[in-house]
Amino acid sequence: MKELVIVSGKGGTGKTSISAALAFLAPQKVLVDCDVDAANFHLISGAAIRETHAFTAGFEPHVDEETCTHCGKCTDLCRFEAITDGVITTPLNCEGCGVCAFNCPAHAISMKEKQAGHWFVSDTRFGRLIHAELGLSVENSGKLVSKVRQEAKKIATAHRLPLIITDGPPGIGCPAIAALSGASLALAVVEPSASSMHDVKRLVDLVSHFGLPLSVCINKSTLHPENTQELIAWCDHNAIPVAGQLPYSDAFRNAIQSGKTVLEMPENAEVKDSLKKLWHNLATLLEVPATESKFGYLQRRLNPFR
Amino acid sequence: MLISIASGKGGTGKTALSLLLAAAHSNISLVDCDVEEPNCHLFLQPAWQDPGREITVTIPHIDSALCNGCGACSTVCLFNAIAISGKTALLFDELCHSCGGCLLVCRQQAIIEESKTIGTLATGTSTTHPGIHLVSGTLKVGTPSAVALIKRMKQETAKLTGDVLLDCPPGTSCSMVTAVQDSDFCILVTEPTPFGRHDLELAMNITCLLQIPTGVVINKSDAASSGDESIETLCESRQIPILAKIPHSLSFAKQYAAGCIPDEFQAIAANIWHKLKSERSAGT
């Protein structure tokens, strides 16, 4: 089973739009939305939630007011300024380390598991989607990302699907790290802008840290042709294959407005062609079939439970 | 006045708006808290005053000669950063939150703290817009959490006088909260799409939880589409004012891609400042 992860150093370069277009084109796959902070894939794919699961991660302290002697030890020991006089004044600062609970002379503090969000299994127009919603201001997003990827692998294995397409989180921090580890191929979506080109260089450092193959898709390539050329030259120099180039087009925006992928919209032949080319290049890099075989089609039709 | 600029989603134009607002002010500090992907310096081309101070956190160092492998440190570590292997404790430093819990329980006194670099912090004055003082943080690649670095940047920010703009990281998780916390006003930037609306709502929940006065700027606004309207309805229901609408402009996008701060929307930026000042005087 192969896993394609779509990432970008910077937000807003078009990860979700491109993931959705690839989801439309690729046969037999499971979809994952790893942007647990601001999941959007379900908005474009017409997701109907089948299963909802609670996600617990980390701990939070509970102070028993009756036992607490207000000795102040927890306040002194807390390095995150979350406790004042035995009262958790700024719960958002709490990292859940348990130093307060383990060292309370009166044993007034207990650590309880924290509800950190939900993850869902949904049916979409393109197949099964695993997505999640992280609780507000909760950390552990990396753990939730790992969780949804793990569930997707289970489903792909159970249904014998050869590919997982993962819409990754922006940035290079803990969620991006969790989304990339152990994947088969990373696709970086880059714009020909000063910011995006700066960010992709940091992303390349991160991806090479994992020893993953990387390819690049240049989105909005007509926005700044000189930068696009520079980007292509840079990719060549670093032996990173440019899997696709998409022209700047309002079609993406209009598609999002109508809750569809660009490929389901009328016209925009140029955008559609470039997306198809992108998918064929990726399928080659991933060594998965680009279109559904007749055998696969028959098998799918004969087995409605898949 | 400390103004944070945030958005649930990436790519809505936080940095663009931060730069527009900074450029429309005569003397201002801009703090780039998007430490995973700092970008403000690309536009401001600052003359750095310091070469980028290393920011460190403390992590435990286990002296294997003293450690008897009792496992107390591993038991109290709720982040699973310490494992016992044979007769000695092993540290996985990327999981460590620097809480100091292991130090407190080690009877062998085998644990001391040492520092580990998580990123750099640099300050400078813009060469393209001389009135802008920039504080920029850069997270070291491979460091999982930006929170510690952002906290240090906030301490630096507290020393600044005058108006301060804070370009925050995207999302609604811990790093965004750390950045937004204690600001006098938060501007949420959104775009008029279902994605933008969905993520704006999450960001509104955060500023509401933190009790920070909030306003919304609709970027890439398109009066012809239904997107604007849907954001307006949301803001109305949450009683959050819309400070400005920045029209969708290809020429702006082109100049911005080339690394310039276009002066196309200077009047809008000036108007936002005007509204912020009046909001401030009404609030106090």
Side-chain angles (χ1 to χ4, degrees):
Chain A
M1 181 205 314
K2 297 292 172 69
E3 187 179 3
L4 170 69
V5 181
I6 293 131
V7 283
S8 73
K10 189 179 154 337
T13 52
K15 279 185 300 300
T16 305
S17 293
I18 291 174
S19 305
L22 294 174
F24 179 86
L25 291 167
Q28 300 170 306
K29 73 269 146 180
V30 175
L31 307 164
V32 187
D33 190 347
C34 276
D35 192 357
V36 295
D37 234 18
N40 284 145
F41 199 95
H42 62 287
L43 298 173
I44 209 170
S45 56
I49 295 175
R50 279 169 72 109
E51 298 169 26
T52 305
H53 301 267
F55 170 71
T56 51
F59 298 89
E60 55 188 349
H62 287 262
V63 183
D64 180 4
E65 268 310 309
E66 281 178 22
T67 330
C68 174
T69 59
H70 294 269
C71 69
K73 190 163 183 190
C74 51
T75 312
D76 294 341
L77 288 178
C78 178
R79 291 189 172 180
F80 308 105
E81 291 157 20
I83 301 188
T84 322
D85 297 333
V87 181
I88 301 158
T89 42
T90 24
L92 289 177
N93 280 0
C94 177
E95 302 251 342
C97 67
V99 164
C100 53
F102 290 126
N103 296 287
C104 174
H107 302 289
I109 308 178
S110 56
M111 296 302 286
K112 294 194 175 140
E113 256 202 342
K114 196 168 167 181
Q115 166 85 39
H118 291 95
W119 60 273
F120 315 93
V121 179
S122 293
D123 279 330
T124 73
R125 292 200 296 285
F126 319 114
R128 204 60 62 80
L129 168 72
I130 325 294
H131 54 126
E133 201 176 78
L134 194 67
L136 289 177
S137 90
V138 173
E139 51 176 334
N140 279 311
S141 46
K143 255 191 189 160
L144 185 51
V145 166
S146 304
K147 180 75 196 166
V148 289
R149 282 184 62 205
Q150 206 183 330
E151 290 303 317
K153 276 185 192 149
K154 274 190 207 161
I155 292 176
T157 313
H159 296 252
R160 290 200 207 120
L161 298 169
L163 179 66
I164 298 174
I165 297 181
T166 302
D167 183 10
I172 55 157
C174 117
I177 292 172
L180 285 166
S181 67
S184 322
L185 176 69
L187 175 70
V189 179
V190 192
E191 290 173 33
S193 71
S195 325
S196 189
M197 288 160 73
H198 170 256
D199 297 338
V200 77
K201 288 171 191 163
R202 283 167 64 74
L203 183 67
V204 168
D205 286 349
L206 181 71
V207 174
S208 64
H209 185 81
F210 286 105
L212 284 189
L214 173 77
S215 61
V216 159
C217 170
I218 305 175
N219 194 14
K220 309 180 192 172
S221 65
T222 48
L223 199 60
H224 199 291
E226 292 83 16
N227 279 354
T228 303
Q229 285 314 314
E230 197 187 317
L231 202 54
I232 293 172
W234 179 80
C235 287
D236 281 348
H237 181 75
N238 289 283
I240 299 167
V242 179
Q245 279 189 57
L246 312 177
Y248 179 87
S249 165
D250 284 335
F252 285 103
R253 193 182 147 94
N254 298 337
I256 293 174
Q257 289 286 11
S258 357
K260 285 180 181 163
T261 70
V262 178
L263 295 154
E264 293 164 289
M265 300 291 282
E267 294 159 10
N268 306 304
E270 201 190 344
V271 176
K272 286 179 182 173
D273 282 348
S274 49
L275 278 167
K276 281 176 196 157
K277 255 183 227 160
L278 169 69
W279 165 239
H280 278 268
N281 287 337
L282 290 173
T284 313
L285 287 168
L286 284 161
E287 297 168 345
V288 293
T291 49
E292 194 170 24
S293 65
K294 283 199 178 110
F295 179 67
Y297 175 77
L298 265 175
Q299 216 178 14
R300 183 159 57 85
R301 294 308 296 257
L302 289 170
N303 185 356
F305 301 108
R306 276 167 67 114
Chain B
M1 181 153 154
L2 177 59
I3 300 152
S4 53
I5 292 158
S7 74
K9 186 176 153 2
T12 49
K14 281 181 298 301
T15 303
L17 182 68
S18 305
L19 292 167
L20 277 176
L21 287 176
H25 199 284
S26 52
N27 181 18
I28 194 159
S29 303
L30 176 58
V31 183
D32 195 345
C33 277
D34 190 0
V35 295
E36 280 186 45
E37 320 292 353
N39 286 143
C40 290
H41 65 281
L42 299 172
F43 297 85
L44 297 173
Q45 303 288 335
W48 297 112
Q49 276 139 18
D50 54 49
R53 244 175 313 145
E54 290 205 342
I55 301 297
T56 57
V57 290
T58 55
I59 55 161
H61 171 79
I62 302 158
D63 185 341
S64 51
L66 292 173
C67 177
N68 63 359
C70 74
C73 52
S74 167
T75 315
V76 297
C77 181
L78 295 183
F79 308 112
N80 302 319
I82 304 182
I84 301 297
S85 138
K87 279 258 167 226
T88 185
L90 277 180
L91 175 78
F92 299 98
D93 61 354
E94 61 280 11
L95 297 176
C96 176
H97 285 227
S98 312
C99 70
C102 49
L103 256 76
L104 294 168
V105 295
C106 182
R107 295 222 181 112
Q108 301 295 313
Q109 312 211 312
I111 306 180
I112 51 160
E113 288 198 302
E114 59 180 16
S115 50
K116 173 183 141 183
T117 307
I118 53 161
T120 54
L121 202 155
T123 56
T125 309
S126 171
T127 53
T128 53
H129 294 75
I132 306 175
H133 173 69
L134 178 70
V135 180
S136 182
T138 309
L139 191 71
K140 199 171 149 191
V141 175
T143 304
S145 171
V147 173
L149 180 56
I150 296 173
K151 274 190 182 158
R152 288 291 288 275
M153 294 188 66
K154 295 287 294 262
Q155 287 168 6
E156 262 340 272
T157 311
K159 293 180 206 155
L160 299 168
T161 49
D163 287 336
V164 178
L165 283 173
L166 224 96
D167 187 8
C168 298
T172 48
S173 67
C174 40
S175 31
M176 178 267 192
V177 172
T178 311
V180 171
Q181 234 169 25
D182 336 299
S183 46
D184 299 308
F185 195 89
C186 180
I187 302 179
L188 296 175
V189 192
T190 187
E191 42 182 32
T193 63
F195 288 7
R197 187 190 189 279
H198 175 257
D199 299 339
L200 174 65
E201 205 167 351
L202 295 175
M204 281 176 170
N205 291 342
I206 291 282
T207 57
C208 173
L209 196 73
L210 294 171
Q211 297 178 324
I212 298 172
T214 305
V216 166
V217 169
I218 305 179
N219 193 16
K220 305 176 203 169
S221 150
D222 180 2
S225 81
S226 60
D228 280 23
E229 215 176 292
S230 133
I231 304 278
E232 278 164 22
T233 327
L234 173 67
C235 289
E236 212 168 294
S237 71
R238 306 285 294 249
Q239 293 179 311
I240 290 174
I242 292 177
L243 299 172
K245 288 183 182 184
I246 300 176
H248 180 55
S249 155
L250 194 57
S251 72
F252 184 91
K254 279 188 173 159
Q255 289 182 67
Y256 189 77
C260 314
I261 310 170
D263 37 14
E264 197 174 331
F265 300 124
Q266 220 167 28
I268 296 180
N271 193 26
I272 295 175
W273 272 120
H274 181 71
K275 282 192 182 163
L276 286 173
K277 298 282 179 196
S278 55
E279 192 91 20
R280 176 79 169 158
S281 51
T284 47

